[in-house]
Amino acid sequence: SSSSSSSSSSSSSSSSSRCCCCSSSSSSSSFVQACERLASLLAKEASLCFEDRLLDVGGGCGDAAHFWTSQYDLVERVTSVNLSAEQCAVGRQRFDCVQFVVGDASSLASIEELQSCTFDKVIALDACYHFEARTEFFAQSFDLLEKGGKLVLSDIVLPPGVGGWKLALLRVLVGGFHMPTRNLITQAEYLAQLESSGFHQVRAKEITASVYRPLSCFLEKHISELGTLLSATTRAKFLIFAALLRWITSYQPPLLGYVVFSCQKPL
């Protein structure tokens, strides 16, 4: 998962693992397959079909957008918004079937290319925890959707009851990975925010067990395989991230949950 490893309006750390895997290695191959499974899960939750106009938000270099385009025959029907102009440029070079737009997920209404657009589905895969104003993203996604349209996203949540030094340390750690600490909320609070934005049929599917441990194993194996090809800074970043994942999953329930949320704009 973290096809995260993905995205930014997402941070550079997450988008780098999505976009820069060495496809010749066995660990990278399995990681790409895991990313595709997550993308498939979000597409299923969105009831994505060939007639849809899809907005992909925080989509990094466009791997997920291209996957959905190819799997659902959405050529020229997918728009991918990302804060990084560099990643959008890479996406345009790689995938000419997707429209890449530079913009802030928290200010979709101000993006010129979206001014006259509406969409049937909005998907944000492993990106929302980076958004500076996530509730603004919810509200503006609502405005961009057709009636009956769906918003689907995967995101990080706090389990109930986490507090004290654990919560304080989590806030420090997530801040280091470009996640605003106000985005650290429980699943119940997250569902309430979606409902407050006007959505109904708000649902959550927890997939924590299939995300953090596999990602931690991938990072450690990938670092070992690439060896000196990685800079010392990059190696340190990945090792710290892998150690953080191990710490999070050493508790039951894990100190951070990973959840797929889906909701619908009323007809």
Side-chain angles (χ1 to χ4, degrees):
S1 139
S2 238
S3 193
S4 193
S5 321
S6 306
S7 133
S8 185
S9 296
S10 251
S11 82
S12 58
S13 62
S14 67
S15 57
S16 64
S17 54
R18 172 186 291 182
C19 301
C20 302
C21 290
C22 174
S23 60
S24 62
S25 78
S26 59
S27 68
S28 293
S29 176
S30 62
F31 180 67
V32 169
Q33 291 170 0
C35 291
E36 290 180 348
R37 287 194 295 272
L38 180 58
S40 293
L41 175 59
L42 268 65
K44 180 180 178 181
E45 293 296 314
S47 303
L48 197 62
C49 72
F50 72 94
E51 297 177 329
D52 285 335
R53 289 159 297 168
L54 170 63
L55 179 63
D56 168 39
V57 183
C61 295
D63 295 88
H66 178 257
F67 176 78
W68 292 318
T69 299
S70 60
Q71 292 295 307
Y72 295 92
D73 195 21
L74 295 174
V75 175
E76 298 182 353
R77 299 183 69 86
V78 179
T79 301
S80 184
V81 171
N82 193 23
L83 190 60
S84 167
E86 180 182 7
Q87 290 180 0
C88 284
V90 171
R92 292 186 192 104
Q93 293 172 11
R94 299 171 70 207
F95 309 123
D96 58 8
C97 55
V98 176
Q99 179 188 12
F100 289 89
V101 176
V102 178
D104 188 342
S106 302
S107 303
L108 296 175
S110 67
I111 299 175
E112 183 178 353
E113 292 90 339
L114 302 183
Q115 292 298 308
S116 59
C117 296
T118 58
F119 298 90
D120 302 294
K121 309 288 165 59
V122 177
I123 298 180
L125 188 158
D126 197 60
C128 290
Y129 48 83
H130 293 298
F131 298 167
E132 287 296 329
R134 191 168 55 190
T135 53
E136 281 300 309
F137 163 68
F138 296 159
Q140 294 183 34
S141 294
F142 185 91
D143 292 339
L144 284 169
L145 281 166
E146 293 280 4
K147 291 181 179 179
K150 288 186 175 182
L151 169 65
V152 177
L153 50 94
S154 59
D155 210 344
I156 292 168
V157 298
L158 277 174
V162 174
W165 70 268
K166 292 177 184 175
L167 179 57
L169 183 54
L170 280 172
R171 285 175 173 161
V172 171
L173 292 172
V174 300
F177 287 94
H178 308 283
M179 176 179 176
T181 55
R182 62 180 169 276
N183 286 347
L184 267 182
I185 60 175
T186 65
Q187 179 175 303
E189 291 171 321
Y190 206 112
L191 293 169
Q193 287 184 355
L194 289 169
E195 290 176 344
S196 295
S197 299
F199 290 102
H200 71 171
Q201 296 185 16
V202 179
R203 299 186 177 92
K205 177 179 290 188
E206 185 172 343
I207 58 171
T208 307
S210 61
V211 173
Y212 293 144
R213 286 193 181 278
L215 179 56
S216 176
C217 291
F218 159 76
L219 289 171
E220 292 168 350
K221 186 175 181 182
H222 196 53
I223 292 166
S224 175
E225 288 176 345
L226 292 181
T228 56
L229 294 177
L230 294 175
S231 69
T233 300
T234 300
R235 283 176 59 86
K237 182 186 294 185
F238 282 157
L239 286 170
I240 291 169
F241 189 38
L244 173 61
L245 292 173
R246 287 197 307 274
W247 177 65
I248 287 170
T249 57
S250 68
Y251 292 88
Q252 288 302 323
L255 295 180
L256 291 176
Y258 198 83
V259 178
V260 173
F261 293 95
S262 63
C263 51
Q264 186 173 33
K265 184 173 181 174
L267 291 168

